[in-house]
Amino acid sequence: MRRAALGLLLAAGVAAATAAPRLLDFGPDEIAAILSHGPWPPPPVRDPANALEGRPEAVAFGRRLFHDRRLSADGRVACAGCHVPATGFSDRRATASARRGEGPRNTPTLLDVAQQRWFGWGGATDSLWAASMVPLLATGEMAHTVPALASRVRAAPDLAAGWRRAHGGPPGQELPADDEVVVVGLAKALAAWQATIVSPRTPFDDFRDALARGDVKAAAQYPLAAQRGLRLFVGEARCSVCHVGPRFSNGEFADVGVPFFVPAAKGGGVDSGRHAGLRALQASRITRAGPHHDGDAAADPRALLTRQLTMEPRHFGEFRVPGLRQLGHTAPYWHDGSAATLAEVVRHYSLLDEDRLHADGERILRRLNLSPGQAADLEAFLRTLSTPAGSGRQRSTASPSTQTR
Ligand code: HEC
Ligand code: HEC
């Protein structure tokens, strides 16, 4: 008994000795690439199209609305039912709902959502408030109509009062007569709250900042497997060509060969991704280029961008490049939730069938043929982009702090 325990202790000692902190010999280009993935949290960005952003009354109202089932036609569904705060603002299901013209899709996290340029896997909306209006009206989600939802808000004293306060109106003032303005106001309050949801710092951020300071000792605390995986990520595997910057996304769309055919069991057909998203965006009134911009749309480069978008064949089968923070809390993966684990995602890139890439112009990706050790390293690195399980209670930083935008 004692002997066995001593043996274990010795074995642990040896393991500790071989795992002594060590820093790989990262070159200047590698260090520059690594530093580009920080610092975290990023400086706040504010949406000039949404006057409610940053207003504490609107943030508080938006947070309440997010949990309020009255926003759904049957009174049973709240935003938080799919974007569950305790599981990284997603729902652990493969797919949640299929909107018109789209296949069934995985519920994306809302962490750091305000940093995005386009919303939804196909980019069907160009603002956080427009993205928050869609679920209110989508069948299979909240399934409301604009007039019915506006009447519900007018008839519920707490909702009407919350709406008024969020907009800075005096108590007792009538809500606007235009139903669409009332509903867009709800969406803008929801957005004001979601804009405060920032993911916490991770082991990668500590490593990155240690490198930036030249603190070798602190940097060497970062696991060696993660260092090797990071070297692959910014180097040979070219992941960081698309997964760029502090959020690990270029905010645009690409095709990585995830099938766009929808299995018969899930309704069949295809999900054309960016193609369907762009078509929906171009057909919608609820965009930055539409009538609900709170600022000067002519001076908003993003409104101009929306107007100038044109459909190209390569959009068919492209999906938005997701950010990679807090991945450990948001399984399953891909737009259709078809990868249950990070190991599966890494295997996909490793064994990529280049002939399957349907969009042209995707010359970045190639089959990596990773060894089992390399695949494990890449996964180990991806895991350091999340807070460890249990400690990662993501919360909104709605109280004034450096992380509130
Ligand atoms: C039935 C589940 C469900 C409900 C309820 C729901 N969502 Fe979603 N949400 C999704 C799915 C699925 C997507 C991806 C849709 C797509 O790709 O077009 C999404 C996308 C989003 C996005 C875009 C995120 C991104 O990364 O681009 C935002 C913002 C959002 N939802 C906010 C809300 C708000 C606010 C509510 C409540 C008004 C809500 N959602 C209700 C499932 C849901
Ligand atoms: C050409 C751009 C591009 C490159 C290069 C790229 N990715 Fe991706 N990545 C994407 C897109 C687009 C998706 C979403 C695809 C989908 O859901 O259909 C994605 C999804 C992911 C996901 C799933 C995230 C989620 O929440 O579902 C992970 C993890 C990931 N990539 C890691 C990597 C790694 C590791 C590499 C390098 C081996 C890499 N990516 C290279 C564009 C890229």
Side-chain angles (χ1 to χ4, degrees):
M1 221 18 224
R2 281 201 141 188
R3 259 218 176 135
L6 187 65
L8 272 180
L9 267 180
L10 279 176
V14 171
T18 50
R22 198 157 82 74
L23 184 61
L24 293 185
D25 55 342
F26 289 109
D29 289 353
E30 284 177 311
I31 291 180
I34 294 166
L35 297 193
S36 74
H37 291 293
W40 196 262
V45 281
R46 186 155 288 184
D47 181 357
N50 183 359
L52 298 194
E53 275 199 11
R55 284 182 53 81
E57 300 86 349
V59 171
F61 183 49
R63 188 209 316 247
R64 281 205 307 282
L65 288 175
F66 194 77
H67 296 273
D68 195 330
R69 296 181 185 178
R70 288 175 294 175
L71 297 195
S72 65
D74 65 5
R76 293 163 72 162
V77 187
C79 311
C82 291
H83 301 283
V84 186
T87 52
F89 290 90
S90 67
D91 57 11
R92 297 188 190 269
R93 290 182 286 175
T95 56
S97 69
R99 293 174 182 172
R100 205 140 46 112
E102 301 174 352
R105 291 189 180 167
N106 181 253
T107 304
T109 177
L110 299 180
L111 292 164
D112 313 316
V113 69
Q115 302 277 332
Q116 281 170 194
R117 189 175 331 163
W118 312 110
F119 299 81
W121 287 101
T125 44
D126 62 356
S127 71
L128 188 48
W129 47 274
S132 303
M133 178 137 163
V134 173
L136 296 171
L137 308 176
T139 40
E141 290 178 53
M142 332 278 274
H144 248 305
T145 63
V146 167
L149 183 51
S151 323
R152 186 168 287 185
V153 174
R154 288 200 182 89
D158 64 321
L159 291 180
W163 197 103
R164 220 179 281 119
R165 263 200 306 278
H167 287 80
Q173 190 192 43
E174 292 275 313
L175 298 194
D178 184 337
D179 289 345
E180 190 171 276
V181 172
V182 171
V183 174
V184 169
L186 293 178
K188 285 184 174 168
L190 282 162
W193 178 62
Q194 292 168 86
T196 68
I197 306 174
V198 177
S199 66
R201 282 174 60 86
T202 64
F204 167 77
D205 298 310
D206 292 341
F207 172 69
R208 183 257 170 220
D209 289 359
L211 272 192
R213 298 192 302 274
D215 184 342
V216 172
K217 199 164 157 229
Q221 299 300 315
Y222 189 58
L224 210 49
Q227 294 183 40
R228 289 189 302 256
L230 172 56
R231 171 170 270 174
L232 275 171
F233 188 90
V234 298
E236 220 182 306
R238 299 204 277 187
C239 312
S240 57
V241 173
C242 296
H243 296 286
V244 303
R247 223 176 54 80
F248 294 87
S249 168
N250 61 8
E252 289 297 329
F253 303 84
D255 171 19
V256 298
V258 177
F260 57 90
F261 288 105
V262 179
K266 292 207 163 206
V270 294
D271 186 341
S272 67
R274 181 56 174 152
H275 188 271
L278 197 46
R279 183 175 291 167
L281 183 67
Q282 288 173 335
S284 176
R285 278 168 57 76
I286 311 299
T287 72
R288 314 183 76 81
H292 298 288
H293 197 298
D294 289 338
D296 179 4
D300 177 357
R302 289 173 61 192
L304 198 67
L305 198 59
T306 293
R307 267 198 211 94
Q308 288 173 339
L309 286 171
T310 50
M311 187 76 82
E312 291 164 36
R314 69 179 174 88
H315 291 318
F316 200 95
E318 285 189 343
F319 291 89
R320 199 190 53 209
V321 178
L324 300 181
R325 286 183 175 269
Q326 300 297 10
L327 277 177
H329 305 277
T330 59
Y333 308 104
W334 302 136
H335 71 272
D336 59 358
S338 58
T341 61
L342 279 179
E344 265 179 65
V345 171
V346 169
R347 199 178 317 124
H348 171 90
Y349 284 110
S350 180
L351 302 179
L352 187 78
D353 180 352
E354 291 167 36
D355 296 337
R356 280 277 287 280
L357 299 183
H358 28 271
D360 49 304
E362 231 56 273
R363 298 277 173 268
I364 306 154
L365 284 161
R366 56 197 146 79
R367 189 185 174 105
L368 297 171
N369 292 317
L370 301 173
S371 71
Q374 287 176 312
D377 288 345
L378 197 50
E379 189 186 335
F381 160 65
L382 291 173
R383 292 204 180 279
T384 67
L385 301 178
S386 304
T387 45
S391 73
R393 266 297 127 87
Q394 286 86 28
R395 58 203 160 75
S396 144
T397 52
S399 57
S401 83
T402 50
Q403 297 192 349
T404 305
R405 22 163 287 158

